[in-house]
Amino acid sequence: MLFRSPTKGSLYSCTGTFNGGGAFKDGPWIKSDGTWDLTQKTSVSGSVKWPSQFTITTQGSQRVLTGNDLPSHATGTYPIASSNPAYQYDRNPNRISAQSMTVTLPANPTLAAKPTCVGMGAIGVMLTGTVFYNAVDAMGRDAGAHEIQDACGGHPDQSSSYHYHSLSPCADDPGAGHSALVGYALDGFGIYGHRGENGETLTNADLDECHGHTHEIEWDGQKVVMYHYHATYEYPYTVACY
């Protein structure tokens, strides 16, 4: 769901009107009650490797992320070929190509007085070297449910920028205990995986309206009590507001 104010379990969107493209047909993994089953969803096949470039440096009070937006993992083959089963639902015509990416963030961000909305396009950067977008597609629908991504949860848009709408399984930390850092939101706060303090899988109920909470985490090699975001398997998946 989309809201024009911060609401737990929803996306606080800066955009209220949607008229873009996307998947043209719902797959059988979308149920009649509006839920969907990730284990039943098809994906874009292929295994294309890319010359990923990505660096993170700290310059005074700023953290600078630079790269070419090509992922450190393989992707599916785009544009989606007519022979690909995904073509029955999503005919993404876009190609993946390198982008010029320089993102400057506060190295030690502080909480704002009130939440602000997230826009379309990049809302953060994963440690795979690739940007991630909010939870909706260009038609304002749940992108994870409706659009067909590859096995790593990514696909290109019309600008040829490869991106995710949720935490990529190729970026997740498979260990135990609190999840590791997986990326940074554009406000500078860290994004961590699906597991909380005791290693439990988090849900929207465990997080605030922006999809985060505060407790001790590892940040730049030190233990600090700090606000941070988490990924969940529930919509809106990552950052719902800043």
Side-chain angles (χ1 to χ4, degrees), residues 103-118:
V103 179
T104 301
L105 309 173
N108 291 290
T110 56
L111 288 172
K114 61 180 181 179
T116 56
C117 60
V118 294

Side-chain angles (χ1 to χ4, degrees), residues 117-197:
C117 60
V118 294
M120 303 298 283
I123 63 170
V125 183
M126 289 296 180
L127 298 186
T128 57
T130 296
V131 296
F132 67 94
Y133 290 9
N134 70 35
V136 300
D137 66 9
M139 296 176 69
R141 306 172 301 180
D142 180 339
H146 292 274
E147 294 188 312
I148 314 298
Q149 295 91 17
D150 61 24
C152 285
H155 62 174
D157 64 9
Q158 66 274 14
S159 69
S160 299
S161 177
Y162 183 82
H163 63 278
Y164 316 108
H165 291 275
S166 58
L167 177 58
S168 167
C170 300
D172 201 5
D173 162 25
H178 192 276
S179 290
L181 179 76
V182 295
Y184 297 94
L186 292 188
D187 58 6
F189 286 108
I191 303 168
Y192 292 75
H194 297 106
R195 299 188 310 277
E197 288 183 274

Side-chain angles (χ1 to χ4, degrees), residues 45-69:
S45 60
S47 183
V48 182
K49 295 184 178 179
W50 301 92
S52 177
Q53 299 174 6
F54 184 58
T55 61
I56 303 174
T57 59
T58 302
Q59 302 174 13
S61 62
Q62 296 180 325
R63 191 185 315 277
V64 182
L65 287 60
T66 58
N68 60 6
D69 193 40

Side-chain angles (χ1 to χ4, degrees), residues 202-218:
L202 298 172
T203 67
N204 289 343
D206 300 308
L207 304 171
D208 68 13
E209 65 271 24
C210 286
H211 227 59
H213 60 190
T214 301
H215 62 71
E216 186 178 76
I217 55 172
E218 184 170 331

